[in-house]
Amino acid sequence: EVGPAKSMYVESVRERLLLGLAVVPIATLAAYLVAPADVRFESALMALAIAITGYSPAWYWVGRGTPRRLVAYEAVPKLAATLLAFPLLAATQAIIWYPALLLVGSLIGLWAFHRSEAVRTSTLIWFAPRTAWLGIGRNLTAAASVTVSGVYTSLNAGVVAATTNVAAATDFVSGDKLYKLAGQVTAIAGNTFQGWVSEHHEGTNPRRVKVALAAH
């Protein structure tokens, strides 16, 4: 029997899969077109790897009060992929290792999480599109907010790449990437402690608040 929380997660994945059929190819093609000719494939693959993060169950883990899974199934696979990419990049000078391994790490994390929750792949991909569209319609306000936030944080790199020379775009994108990687530390910490600190049924817990504040 599927509980209400898991049913909500399955519904969310289906809605995002339906949107992804249009959004992911467009994002990948856009990255390919604005990139310099010698790294177009790598740029498209990186766009695909980043797009997969849109299927992250982070919201589900926070809502269920199981933030440790955010570390186990999302942070650890991505960190392992990044650490593995470093020596391969140094040895081969082929930048494609990073987006390829990041994509693989994200997919492995999702696969491992679905196995732990006994969520079958067939359950996620076989559904009535009309039902998913109705769900998307109910969530348009929240989706619009996330879309605006995504455009604000991601569009700048594309604009710079399309309007400046390669050297300037490289400097900007490298700095922007480092900034965003550093920002993920506080973002993950916030998501991790959100449910842990604010659970109402456990009452006020000053010790938890202090631990969360110290971690930040």
Side-chain angles (χ1 to χ4, degrees):
E1 184 179 354
V2 178
K6 189 181 294 186
S7 177
M8 183 182 295
Y9 173 74
V10 171
E11 180 182 347
S12 171
V13 172
R14 289 173 173 176
E15 292 170 8
R16 284 181 284 171
L17 283 174
L18 190 61
L19 287 174
L21 291 176
V23 175
V24 174
I26 291 173
T28 304
L29 178 61
Y32 179 87
L33 293 176
V34 302
D38 56 338
V39 291
R40 281 181 170 171
F41 181 73
E42 291 85 349
S43 299
L45 189 61
M46 188 67 201
L48 179 60
I50 296 299
I52 294 299
T53 62
Y55 297 95
S56 167
W59 62 272
Y60 177 77
W61 296 323
V62 172
R64 291 295 302 273
T66 55
R68 290 184 182 88
R69 296 195 169 198
L70 185 65
V71 177
Y73 295 114
E74 185 162 323
V76 169
K78 290 182 179 179
L79 178 61
T82 301
L83 293 176
L84 182 59
F86 282 156
L88 291 172
L89 282 168
T92 65
Q93 298 296 304
I95 198 172
I96 195 171
W97 283 110
Y98 178 66
L101 289 172
L102 185 63
L103 176 61
V104 170
S106 298
L107 292 175
I108 289 176
L110 279 173
W111 172 81
F113 167 65
H114 291 159
R115 281 187 60 88
S116 72
E117 289 283 319
V119 177
R120 296 181 179 178
T121 302
S122 58
T123 303
L124 298 175
I125 64 176
W126 295 111
F127 58 91
R130 183 176 181 275
T131 303
W133 276 122
L134 290 174
I136 292 171
R138 291 192 299 268
N139 294 297
L140 279 179
T141 302
S145 175
V146 174
T147 301
V148 171
S149 175
V151 170
Y152 174 76
T153 58
S154 303
L155 187 62
N156 53 358
V159 171
V160 171
T163 58
T164 63
N165 57 53
V166 175
T170 301
D171 289 342
F172 177 84
V173 172
S174 297
D176 186 60
K177 185 67 175 177
L178 288 172
Y179 167 74
K180 289 176 179 176
L181 286 173
Q184 285 182 7
V185 176
T186 52
I188 290 173
N191 287 332
T192 299
F193 288 114
Q194 184 175 336
W196 189 60
V197 171
S198 61
E199 289 294 333
H200 295 294
H201 65 82
E202 296 182 3
T204 304
N205 192 323
R207 185 186 66 83
R208 284 190 169 188
V209 174
K210 291 176 181 178
V211 170
L213 183 61
H216 277 73

